[in-house]
Amino acid sequence: MLRDITIGQHFPGNSILHRCDPRLKLVGTIAYIVVLFVAANPVGIALSIALLALLYSVAKIPFKMILKSLKPIVPVIIFTAVLNLFFLTGETPLFQWWIFTIYPEGVRYAILMAVRVMALIAGTSLLTYTTSPIVLTDAIENLLRPLGKLHFPVHELAMMMTIALRFIPTLIDETEKIMNAQKARGAMLDTGSFVQRVKALVPILIPLFLSAFRRADELAMAMECRCYHGGEGRTRLKVLKFGREDVLCAAALTVLLGIIVCTRFLFA
Amino acid sequence: MKDTMIDVQDVKFRYDPEQPGYAVDGVSMQVRRGEFVAVLGANGCGKSTLAKHFNAILLPEKGTVLVEDMDTRTEDHLYDIRQKVGMVFQNPDNQIVATIVEEDVAFALENLGVPAPEIRERIDESMKLAGIYEQKDKAPHKLSGGQKQRVAIAGVIAMRPDCLVLDEATAMLDPRGRRQVMKTIRQLREAGISIVAITHYMEEAAQADRVLVMSRGRIVMEGTPEQVFSQTERLHSYHLDVPQAAELRDELVKAGIPMPQNVITPEACAEALYALLAQ
Ligand SMILES: Nc1ncnc2c1ncn2[C@@H]1O[C@H](COP(=O)(O)OP(=O)(O)OP(=O)(O)O)[C@@H](O)[C@H]1O
Ligand SMILES: [Mg+2]
């Protein structure tokens, strides 16, 4: 079923990583990405991957989930690896054939880059596996709050994300219904040439858009009826709390990432 | 405390000021505290438009709407009025904002700036009243239509309104969902909340204290359900039906069997028939 697809792919659980403050997880993920780029040496990358493996096992997320998250970007990884392989030049060629020359620097960089991108994807996936989208939205709103002083619409952004998350299943259901209705009227959705198939989508998208606008109109009214007037003076049911456990996690993560950054100086 | 909750005085409203026709064309009515009023009328007769005047979603072009003596046109009272008069619409899917039931029920209170511990207390209370407390951690799209509509009701009654306006709130529900929502409405009445229910179901209207019938932007009939549903011919002229029990009553009268005029519910009908059989 279409509706079982959710974005973010939350993987519910009760590990310390699941319970941890989402703001810490978000900042931690960003820090991890930065470290991946700062500590761009074999030892640093190896340690980064070891850290990731540790976190995945603490969160009890099966390793095959990593492969699943990597699958869509395999072509990108291969493409960049090939580019690096052929276009990076060094002093002594390792291999030469026709117009292709491969240098050891190219090989080294291609591998490093591929591993780094994979670690980056696996790291961010860990965030979405352990944090539900709604909690993540809260964290983003909370972290961006200082930007509100610069008239950045933080609350509105978070509200839009919440409503989008809320309506994705509803609209997927609706798409299914419209598709069935058009099929019943003889629409050929799964056969024909590419152009024909794209054309067949028009009678699905138009009703979908119209209905989405009507829904938006009604939702806006229902929100007004419940005294919605923007983010000003708003309180929250669930207030994010940075507890003792979070302090410990933050300290541990800082130390570990610090060690990885230090490997940079070993190779200076 | 004053007896009149909502006081509508000679209200006229049209969506397009260029057009001569009014969607609400000179309506005066009151909703008293604790009362259950049903509003009937054919499609497009202006029921929803009138209802939207009760909590300042629409403002009258002529006439005034007073909610507990506050004029809906005064900006200062806007949120007081919306908090006092809650509104539930037809499609539950388009009223639920959040991705978790309890978060949605808390939405209005978050907007009103209620502190977190009090929000917790009030949403628990209203979810219990609406009978969806067991579903509080679920995602709304996993619930049935009747449950979703009760989530919407819970989200409104968390504001502790004095009046709840339901605009065809049972129209999209199956019989079971409708029964659940009607049960919730009865519980709200017992809690002392006034109810204004716009409906196309005559059986629901038969449970009200008072029935208003609208046609072309005006109120054309008003009275207890017994009074209104005894005038079958007149209701037909406004493109409305009577409850099944009243229909049976009319058929029996036509066939020469005497039936009292005030028979509009199955129970009353059964009693009248028992009485006849006993004779
Ligand atoms: N947003 C709008 N803009 C313009 N005209 C509108 C709008 N909403 C309603 N109308 C018109 O106002 C009149 C009254 O509509 P309203 O929705 O109040 O009727 P209703 O009694 O609620 O009907 P229904 O039983 O179908 O819900 C109708 O003629 C309708 O076409
Ligand atoms: Mg209507």
Side-chain angles (χ1 to χ4, degrees), chain B residues 37 49 64 80 116 119 126 146 193 209 248 252:
Chain B
V37 181
T49 311
T64 48
D80 292 328
I119 295 184
S126 67
I193 299 176
D209 296 321
L248 178 62
L252 289 171

Side-chain angles (χ1 to χ4, degrees), chain A residues 134 159 163 165-167 169 215 218-219 221-229 233-238, chain B residues 52 55 57 79 82 93-99 102-104 107-108 110-111 113-114 116 141 155 159:
Chain A
I134 189 78
M159 197 70 198
I163 292 175
L165 289 170
R166 152 74 185 80
F167 275 88
R215 281 180 193 282
E218 281 182 25
L219 181 70
M221 188 152 55
M223 284 168 73
E224 268 191 85
C225 285
R226 289 206 262 161
C227 301
Y228 181 67
H229 52 93
R234 219 163 170 263
T235 48
R236 297 308 306 268
L237 166 64
K238 287 183 184 139
Chain B
K52 283 172 198 159
N55 68 346
I57 294 292
Y79 297 112
R82 295 217 171 128
D93 269 328
N94 299 352
Q95 302 173 62
I96 296 175
V97 187
T99 43
E102 64 172 9
E103 297 240 356
D104 186 75
F107 181 71
E110 292 178 338
N111 291 334
V114 176
H141 67 98
M159 296 192 288

Side-chain angles (χ1 to χ4, degrees), chain A residues 130-150:
Chain A
T130 58
T131 322
S132 81
I134 189 78
V135 173
L136 204 54
T137 309
D138 275 355
I140 294 172
E141 178 174 13
N142 204 287
L143 286 172
L144 290 182
R145 190 161 294 158
L147 284 182
K149 290 216 170 63
L150 305 172

Side-chain angles (χ1 to χ4, degrees), chain B residues 43-44 46-49 52 90 167-168 198 200:
Chain B
N43 287 128
K47 306 179 297 289
S48 302
T49 311
K52 283 172 198 159
Q90 185 174 12
D167 189 351
E168 297 186 38
I198 296 171
H200 287 295

